[in-house]
Amino acid sequence: MIGRNYSIAATALTLLATFSTNHAFVPAHRPRPLAPRLHSTVEESTNGETATTEMPKNANVAQTESTSRDKVMTFSYDMSLEPKYEKPTYPGTGNGLSGDSGEYDIVVIGSGMGGLACGALSAKYGSRVLVLESHIKVGGSAHTFSRMHNGGKYSFEVGPSIFEGLDRPSLNPLRMIFDILEETMPVKTYKGLGYWTPSGYWRFPIGSREGFEKLLMEQCGEVDGPKAIAEWKALRERLRTLGGSTQAVALLNLRQDAGFLATTAGSLPFVLQNPDVFADLSLTFDDLSKTVDEFVTVPFLRNFIDTMCIFCGFPAKGAMTAHLLYILERFFEETAAFSVPIGGTCELGNTLQRGLEKYGGKLQLNAHVDEILIENGRAVGVRLKNGNVVKARKAVVSNATPFDTVKLMPKKEDEPKKLTNWRDQIGKLPRHGAISHLFLAIDAEGLDLSHIDDPAHLVVQDWDRSLQDSQNLCSFFIPSILDKTLCPPGKHVIHVYSSGGEPYEPWEKLTPGTEEYEAYKKERVEVLWRAVERCIPDVRDRVEFSIIGSPLAHEAFLRRDRGTYGLAWAAGTSAPQSGILGNFLPFPFPNLKTPVDGLLRCGDSCFPGIGTPSAAASGAIAANTMTHVDNHLKMLSEASKKDPMYKFLDAGIMGQVYKPLVQGFTPSPELRTDQFVSGAGVSPVDYTAMDPEVSKRVDL
């Protein structure tokens, strides 16, 4: 949801993980015979051995039955136990049988924000790129669907809905990528986030320090109000240096090879002026609640901080400190604002697709990848569901979740042990639960919404229960308040969705369309109806039509195993396969590199994590990693001239000083093709060759 940029020193060190090649995905072989719906719940049997059961009563479900505020919930499945079966398909998602054979430099699996950003920037760098999407719509979780009703068209969001920093050049990496690609996306803005809590309604005013302090006074009272303000200032001061680094280096400066020494060199003045940033490296990736507990005691303020983190999957307990840095620095600037993309969230993907195609890249929809092809330890392409083979000269990049990617790499008897270990660890990583959705088209005749100022709202039933509990926290979004193109005049569209803590097991034993399934859907989304009723009491009487999206539908429409919200490695310890960096810092992400040469990952299971800006940034890091450092430096120099906000992207003189020392190691050996036989001295592809203004560009 919310853009996040991390400490310069911390993010730079992230790249040290580049020297470890133990990270990636794995899958199961196809074609798969049709079988009954999967019952893959894992339990411990009485003799201590792992067993499977068709009863959904296991640890995943049990933790959701009685949640508490201090509980951190994650869900785990052993992907190696999964039988071969075909997931049910839904009308409107495609059959995956399109896609032509061919040969490209880079093949990207999935057109989410990470895959599209990787593909578009790789095309700009000069590579011949193909992005393959299983769905008939581009954008991954950020897409829109429409329904006709009484001659009118109603469009609904299915994924993220709260975006900051898309209305102007900003620190949001997604906006940066739009500007680098020279693509625009019209938006309308709003200046707050509505909260419906046990104590009533209140509003977080983005872009106003005074407004936030006024809110603290109103909600905390004369005694705790001044205390809350003082604690907030103390927390900001403690994280001041780390927060300041968000304008010293950007995620787009990063790459996973030795070239990062050159591309992040522009941050050296900040490091020299703030040497204490190194002392906080561990804090950046550590559990945020440790710092919050040290400085914040007022309940209202603690609740607010938890809700600011929850869109990344965890409250403060479980979230990285880095999650809060962008908010501390950016959300209180006068120009800060939330945005509604005109035409729907799908415009995020459409904008990146235009950038991809502008530079010669290609996108194929309804083209499901069945297998990643590996020869002699190297990813050489993919096999599509229709049997066609697409070759990749340089690399294959998976934008699928790690749980979906492991299904694309069938186990081989003679495969390297590192790959086997990686597959086992990646397949068992904890994840967030699923999400339930409620889509409403309502009659707005005579509807008075003057009591709210914004389209986006959070609803909390009980502050003493876990905010990961799907029956406790939810959100609703009424984009038609600002975007009148989404529905007929006099109507509104509303997307209501739970937190990512819905257990999958009760759903997987149900068959879509049966009475039992329909009854369970209604039961689980009753809390979503009640959430909207806080704002629109007669909403059920106003409904033109409604659609319930279960975790099964979420899984099918968004191509995410078990409908998961994403990877859930709680901050505080290093995730498996986190590379060299994980040996020194509590780095909670598996590396974007893998044990297979020429195979990378991107998306919300990679650094920097969940959220459209972060997923896009992971794609940019993958694209940077696959190109010569000179291309990367030129791109940063060019971007720095697009707006004063971006000046800090340029690596400057020091980048040119480091370049001769590192260019022979870029891209790193496992990504080199025949044009990078020796590495050193290779003339990089000039990605600006298509730019008619190239002769006017002055680079260092």
Side-chain angles (χ1 to χ4, degrees):
M1 116 163 177
I2 293 169
R4 309 186 300 272
N5 279 52
Y6 294 31
S7 148
I8 165 207
T11 45
L13 281 179
T14 303
L15 305 196
L16 292 178
T18 190
F19 301 112
S20 175
T21 56
N22 46 325
H23 8 309
F25 330 98
V26 211
H29 198 11
R30 309 207 184 195
R32 305 179 188 184
L34 291 175
R37 283 206 58 79
L38 170 66
H39 300 283
S40 58
T41 300
V42 179
E43 294 187 331
E44 290 300 315
S45 64
T46 54
N47 61 3
E49 297 178 354
T50 301
T52 59
T53 176
E54 295 191 0
M55 297 301 293
K57 188 76 171 180
N58 77 332
N60 288 339
V61 177
Q63 67 178 334
T64 68
E65 294 179 343
S66 179
T67 68
S68 61
R69 181 60 177 275
D70 61 352
K71 176 181 289 188
V72 172
M73 294 198 300
T74 62
F75 298 76
S76 297
Y77 304 90
D78 186 345
M79 300 299 289
S80 67
L81 299 178
E82 185 156 1
K84 299 172 182 177
Y85 81 113
E86 198 72 48
K87 290 279 187 184
T89 57
Y90 282 66
T93 68
N95 58 16
L97 291 174
S98 298
D100 303 322
S101 58
E103 187 172 19
Y104 298 82
D105 296 323
I106 296 169
V107 174
V108 181
I109 304 170
S111 69
M113 294 298 99
L116 285 172
C118 177
L121 290 176
S122 293
K124 185 173 175 67
Y125 280 139
S127 291
R128 191 162 180 259
V129 179
L130 174 66
V131 178
L132 295 165
E133 171 56 52
S134 175
H135 204 289
I136 60 173
K137 293 179 179 289
V138 71
S141 296
H143 78 249
T144 304
F145 76 92
S146 299
R147 289 289 183 272
M148 299 298 296
H149 178 74
N150 292 337
K153 183 180 180 181
Y154 297 78
S155 298
F156 299 92
E157 316 300 333
V158 300
S161 56
I162 304 176
F163 309 99
E164 192 282 328
L166 293 182
D167 58 314
R168 64 182 67 208
S170 72
L171 300 179
N172 184 328
L174 183 56
R175 173 60 197 239
M176 287 182 176
I177 293 170
F178 286 171
D179 290 337
I180 289 169
L181 298 173
E182 297 184 333
E183 291 292 340
T184 59
M185 184 187 73
V187 301
K188 288 193 175 181
T189 60
Y190 57 103
K191 297 286 287 185
L193 182 62
Y195 280 76
W196 302 85
T197 71
S199 61
Y201 172 79
W202 51 272
R203 178 177 182 262
F204 164 59
I206 190 173
S208 173
R209 283 185 171 85
E210 290 184 1
F212 184 64
E213 291 184 3
K214 181 180 178 182
L215 173 67
L216 293 178
M217 289 297 299
E218 290 174 349
Q219 295 296 317
C220 301
E222 294 183 1
V223 176
D224 279 350
K227 183 179 180 182
I229 293 173
E231 289 180 349
W232 178 249
K233 290 181 177 179
L235 178 64
R236 293 191 67 203
E237 178 60 25
R238 171 63 185 88
L239 299 176
R240 179 186 60 82
T241 299
L242 286 179
S245 71
T246 60
Q247 296 189 54
V249 69
L251 293 166
L252 271 61
N253 288 90
L254 303 183
R255 54 186 295 128
Q256 285 208 215
D257 58 32
F260 86 91
L261 292 171
T263 59
T264 63
S267 64
L268 289 177
F270 176 84
V271 174
L272 294 175
Q273 294 172 20
N274 300 275
D276 54 324
V277 72
F278 289 105
D280 282 344
L281 282 178
S282 180
L283 174 64
T284 304
F285 300 113
D286 207 351
D287 190 319
L288 172 62
S289 68
K290 296 178 182 178
T291 305
V292 172
D293 289 347
E294 183 179 351
F295 290 93
V296 181
T297 62
V298 176
F300 178 84
L301 184 54
R302 291 176 66 89
N303 292 341
F304 171 76
I305 292 171
D306 276 347
T307 60
M308 285 290 102
C309 296
I310 198 63
F311 287 95
C312 302
F314 291 110
K317 186 175 183 179
M320 292 189 300
T321 303
H323 287 318
L324 195 61
L325 297 181
Y326 183 90
I327 294 170
L328 291 174
E329 288 299 307
R330 174 62 186 160
F331 276 29
F332 298 92
E333 296 294 327
E334 187 176 348
T335 57
F338 296 124
S339 298
V340 172
I342 300 303
T345 302
C346 60
E347 289 305 312
L348 300 175
N350 293 340
T351 303
L352 290 174
Q353 181 183 352
R354 291 195 299 272
L356 168 73
E357 294 173 343
K358 174 193 293 185
Y359 292 98
K362 185 176 180 181
L363 170 71
Q364 291 186 347
L365 297 175
N366 195 34
H368 185 79
V369 173
D370 252 359
E371 183 179 346
I372 297 172
L373 302 177
I374 301 174
E375 296 178 3
N376 300 318
R378 183 178 188 84
V380 297
V382 300
R383 178 179 290 107
L384 303 180
K385 186 176 181 180
N386 62 15
N388 288 335
V389 171
V390 184
K391 289 288 188 176
R393 286 187 287 264
K394 179 182 285 190
V396 174
V397 182
S398 178
N399 183 212
T401 72
F403 317 110
D404 291 286
T405 306
V406 296
K407 303 173 188 176
L408 304 180
M409 299 169 63
K411 188 173 182 179
K412 308 289 186 181
E413 290 185 4
D414 58 347
E415 70 181 19
K417 183 175 292 187
K418 285 197 301 184
L419 174 56
T420 303
N421 292 339
W422 173 85
R423 178 189 288 109
D424 291 344
Q425 290 185 328
I426 291 292
K428 296 175 184 177
L429 284 173
R431 63 181 81 183
H432 294 292
I435 296 175
S436 293
H437 303 260
L438 177 63
F439 305 99
L440 303 175
I442 68 169
D443 182 8
E445 181 83 23
L447 177 61
D448 181 9
L449 291 179
S450 60
H451 57 295
I452 62 173
D453 300 291
D454 316 289
H457 300 260
L458 299 182
V459 183
V460 180
Q461 309 293 333
D462 185 348
W463 288 116
D464 291 329
R465 288 166 59 190
S466 170
L467 295 183
Q468 295 176 277
D469 186 340
S470 62
Q471 295 291 296
N472 185 40
L473 174 72
C474 67
S475 305
F476 66 87
F477 185 51
I478 317 176
S480 50
I481 290 177
L482 295 179
D483 184 0
K484 306 303 182 181
T485 70
L486 298 177
C487 57
K491 311 295 181 183
H492 275 310
V493 288
I494 308 175
H495 177 207
V496 201
Y497 52 101
S498 71
S499 65
E502 180 73 6
Y504 186 80
E505 285 83 349
W507 293 95
E508 66 179 347
K509 66 185 180 66
L510 301 176
T511 301
T514 63
E515 290 185 7
E516 183 184 12
Y517 174 72
E518 295 300 322
Y520 194 61
K521 283 202 303 183
K522 292 179 180 180
E523 174 189 332
R524 295 302 288 179
V525 302
E526 177 61 26
V527 66
L528 305 185
W529 279 105
R530 293 199 302 268
V532 183
E533 287 175 328
R534 297 285 299 274
C535 178
I536 307 175
D538 62 345
V539 65
R540 300 192 202 221
D541 296 330
R542 293 180 172 275
V543 169
E544 298 277 329
F545 67 91
S546 63
I547 301 170
I548 298 174
S550 74
L552 300 184
H554 184 92
E555 176 181 38
F557 277 85
L558 301 186
R559 302 297 197 263
R560 296 177 72 86
D561 184 78
R562 295 172 173 84
T564 181
Y565 186 56
L567 179 69
W569 191 270
T573 59
S574 294
Q577 304 294 332
S578 57
I580 290 177
L581 188 60
N583 295 329
F584 303 97
L585 297 171
F587 190 63
F589 298 99
N591 203 326
L592 107 142
K593 290 188 174 182
T594 80
V596 178
D597 289 352
L599 177 62
L600 299 179
R601 302 187 308 119
C602 67
D604 61 15
S605 64
C606 302
F607 174 80
I610 290 175
T612 50
S614 295
S618 76
I621 296 171
N624 297 340
T625 301
M626 292 185 289
T627 196
H628 192 281
V629 69
D630 193 57
N631 283 341
H632 191 183
L633 288 168
K634 286 180 178 178
M635 183 271 283
L636 293 171
S637 175
E638 201 172 80
S640 71
K641 298 177 177 65
K642 294 186 180 296
D643 190 272
M645 170 68 73
Y646 298 153
K647 185 178 180 180
F648 74 100
L649 292 173
D650 192 356
I653 293 294
M654 291 307 298
Q656 298 301 311
V657 170
Y658 277 112
K659 185 176 76 171
L661 304 177
V662 300
Q663 64 182 356
F665 303 98
T666 68
S668 51
E670 75 279 2
L671 292 171
R672 294 181 189 171
T673 53
D674 53 359
Q675 74 239 48
F676 294 107
V677 173
S678 61
V682 174
S683 177
V685 176
D686 186 354
Y687 74 91
T688 60
M690 300 171 61
D691 183 0
E693 303 295 319
V694 67
S695 62
K696 301 179 184 179
R697 191 189 73 225
V698 178
D699 288 316
L700 290 172

